[in-house]
Amino acid sequence: MIEELGQNVKLASSTLAKVSTIEKNEFLRKLATSLIENTARILKENQKDLGKAQEHGISEVMIDRLRLTESRIVGIAESLQQVADLADPIGQVLQGFTNLDGLKIVQKRVPLGAVGMIFESRPNVTIDAFSLCFKTGNAVLLRGGSDAIYSNTILVTIIKENLISSGLTAHAVELLTDTSHAEAEKMMQATDYLDVLIPRGSARLIDTVKAKAKVPVIETGVGNCTIFVDESADIDMAIKIAINAKTQRPSVCNAAESLVVHAKIAHEFLPKLQIAINKVHKVEFRADERALTELSNAVSAADEDFGTEYLDYIMSVKIVDSFDEAVKHINRYSSKHSEAIVTRDYFNAQRFQDEIDAAAVYVNASTRFTDGFVFGLGAEIGISTQKLHARGPMGLEALTSTKYLIDGTGQIRE
């Protein structure tokens, strides 16, 4: 199966590279309308996935990652419209000059080619990945999790229906419907067909892909995100930010998993936070020894808790004696996704942004904003936590490479 699908996307990538910006934008807008028109079809298939998840005892938080609703489909359609409205990076000239030999050298953006995407649970990734790849002239091979197979299949079916009716290659997107580990491993090693592989999901998934892939990998974001409440923090602001970052949607990678609190403010802040956050949703705090004395009903944290992405209503808590200790702790356990400080101290704010090693570093704001849509990139194909090629929310430019075009007049190198 991988050989057939891989060959399809490899051939389609050559065709897509020739599609004009106008054609790409018109198609994305058409697809956005089609998703709305096919809401009933999509929700019917999504219900099959939800029913299967409930039968298997999947937690409600994780089911929320899987769930599609009318409003979420509208949101997905809006992201398609936004991608259509964005400037097309393909063909953009990054630099141009004439060298000492009289050669005219131009560096231009070009598609990556054939992109592989391995992801879990969230069916909106199907549309996000396709739209960004399509806009940048890339074909994409998708492999979602078995828990979202019905949702992913109907979404890819609708994409293909619209590609065919628009006179475009239906192989611009392919879905690996065999969700076995064996086929996934074949995809990871399909160097004859795929130019790059992007995993998006749990630490376990990403680590597996990194260990087994032969196709070049762009690592995306496990989100062990931290809120640091500095000694000068506005307590009401810190409570508001912590509640939002932890409880608004705990199943996503930009939700906060860890809380670091300066000792000088902990006695006042932590009891108030616990009362306030439990009014929104009960949260289990896994606390170090000192934080245990400030929180009621907290449990003792093990060392691994500070580095865990819970994706649930659970939060680790650490009390520190200094700014430097906070930075050291965060950099040790961070997944390098998103970190935040709440402070009134301008210099600590600047130092935090300078010294924290993460893709997104916030001052006095929730980590929940790390998102391609929010950052003006349209949809995102993932949030890169590595430093090669791309970092942070990956939009259109992250799905491009460059090519040097050289024009001469008969020059030879002596």
Side-chain angles (χ1 to χ4, degrees):
M1 179 175 282
I2 282 295
E3 289 76 11
E4 179 184 351
L5 297 178
Q7 190 170 40
N8 286 347
V9 295
K10 191 67 173 178
L11 291 172
S13 66
S14 299
T15 302
L16 288 175
K18 303 171 187 176
V19 178
S20 71
T21 300
I22 290 175
E23 289 176 295
K24 289 188 286 190
N25 291 344
E26 287 179 349
F27 176 80
L28 290 171
R29 294 189 177 101
K30 175 183 177 180
L31 179 58
T33 300
S34 181
L35 288 179
I36 301 297
E37 292 173 346
N38 283 282
T39 294
R41 288 174 71 192
I42 297 168
L43 294 182
K44 180 181 177 181
E45 297 304 303
N46 183 242
Q47 281 298 318
K48 294 180 183 177
D49 289 324
L50 293 175
K52 186 172 61 174
Q54 289 165 349
E55 287 176 9
H56 293 163
I58 304 299
S59 71
E60 181 54 39
V61 170
M62 298 308 292
I63 287 176
D64 181 63
R65 290 167 65 95
L66 184 60
R67 181 178 290 112
L68 291 175
T69 63
E70 288 188 17
S71 63
R72 287 185 181 181
I73 293 171
V74 169
I76 292 170
E78 288 174 351
S79 75
L80 283 170
Q81 296 281 6
Q82 186 170 4
V83 172
D85 291 340
L86 293 171
D88 187 349
I90 299 302
Q92 176 187 359
V93 175
L94 301 182
Q95 60 175 331
F97 55 93
T98 301
N99 75 355
L100 294 177
D101 297 304
L103 296 172
K104 294 180 179 179
I105 301 174
V106 171
Q107 184 185 20
K108 295 177 69 174
R109 287 198 184 278
V110 296
L112 288 173
V115 176
M117 183 83 182
I118 298 178
F119 60 100
E120 295 172 326
S121 296
R122 297 170 64 186
N124 64 291
V125 175
T126 298
I127 300 297
D128 290 349
F130 168 76
S131 65
L132 290 170
C133 287
F134 181 80
K135 179 72 180 246
T136 48
N138 297 293
V140 62
L141 172 58
L142 302 170
R143 192 273 190 185
S146 59
D147 53 350
I149 188 62
Y150 293 108
S151 303
N152 292 334
T153 299
I154 187 61
L155 290 172
V156 170
T157 297
I158 292 169
I159 295 170
K160 284 179 171 288
E161 289 171 355
N162 282 274
L163 286 167
I164 293 168
S165 65
S166 299
L168 297 166
T169 173
H171 301 310
V173 60
E174 295 287 3
L175 177 67
L176 180 58
T177 53
D178 182 341
T179 58
S180 67
H181 293 303
E183 284 298 306
E185 288 190 23
K186 288 181 184 178
M187 181 176 171
M188 297 175 203
Q189 297 171 13
T191 53
D192 289 341
Y193 310 114
L194 299 179
D195 295 294
V196 67
L197 188 63
I198 304 173
R200 180 169 171 177
S202 66
R204 181 179 177 183
L205 169 69
I206 293 169
D207 288 343
T208 298
V209 173
K210 285 165 58 182
K212 297 185 177 182
K214 293 182 179 178
V215 178
V217 175
I218 299 177
E219 183 180 344
T220 65
V222 173
N224 179 32
C225 306
T226 303
I227 306 292
F228 170 42
V229 182
D230 195 18
E231 62 180 302
S232 67
D234 179 313
I235 286 181
D236 290 338
M237 177 191 291
I239 289 172
K240 182 179 178 181
I241 288 172
I243 290 174
N244 176 261
K246 179 69 263 181
T247 68
Q248 191 208 29
R249 199 173 179 194
S251 62
V252 294
C253 63
N254 56 21
E257 306 287 15
S258 188
L259 185 66
V260 175
V261 185
H262 197 288
K264 290 184 179 179
I265 203 172
H267 182 67
E268 182 179 3
F269 170 73
L270 286 174
K272 287 183 177 180
L273 171 66
Q274 187 170 41
I275 292 169
I277 204 168
N278 285 335
K279 289 179 180 177
V280 177
H281 196 286
K282 184 173 177 57
V283 171
E284 176 186 311
F285 290 107
R286 297 186 181 178
D288 72 356
E289 288 186 12
R290 290 197 290 176
L292 280 172
T293 66
E294 305 293 349
L295 295 163
S296 60
N297 300 319
V299 299
S300 182
D303 185 68
E304 58 266 23
D305 282 312
F306 299 113
T308 298
E309 182 186 34
Y310 297 110
L311 302 175
D312 203 345
Y313 293 101
I314 304 171
M315 197 173 205
S316 66
V317 186
K318 169 77 172 177
I319 291 179
V320 295
D321 291 313
S322 68
F323 174 90
D324 288 336
E325 186 183 353
V327 169
K328 183 178 180 180
H329 175 85
I330 293 168
N331 280 337
R332 176 182 175 186
Y333 292 100
S334 172
S335 62
K336 306 189 187 309
H337 189 296
S338 300
E339 314 294 356
I341 185 174
V342 184
T343 186
R344 290 191 181 103
D345 188 316
Y346 172 81
F347 294 103
N348 279 359
Q350 297 304 303
R351 282 188 62 199
F352 191 82
Q353 290 187 315
D354 289 340
E355 296 177 23
I356 289 295
D357 183 14
V361 186
Y362 292 84
V363 173
N364 296 331
S366 170
T367 57
R368 284 283 289 113
F369 289 106
T370 306
D371 177 88
F373 190 86
V374 174
F375 284 13
L377 303 177
E380 71 185 30
I381 201 163
I383 296 172
S384 172
T385 54
Q386 65 182 34
K387 299 180 182 180
L388 294 178
H389 177 67
R391 198 176 197 200
M394 294 169 57
L396 297 175
E397 288 188 3
L399 291 170
T400 67
S401 183
T402 63
K403 178 189 290 186
Y404 284 94
L405 308 177
I406 304 97
D407 288 347
T409 55
Q411 290 92 332
I412 61 171
R413 187 165 183 174
E414 300 293 343

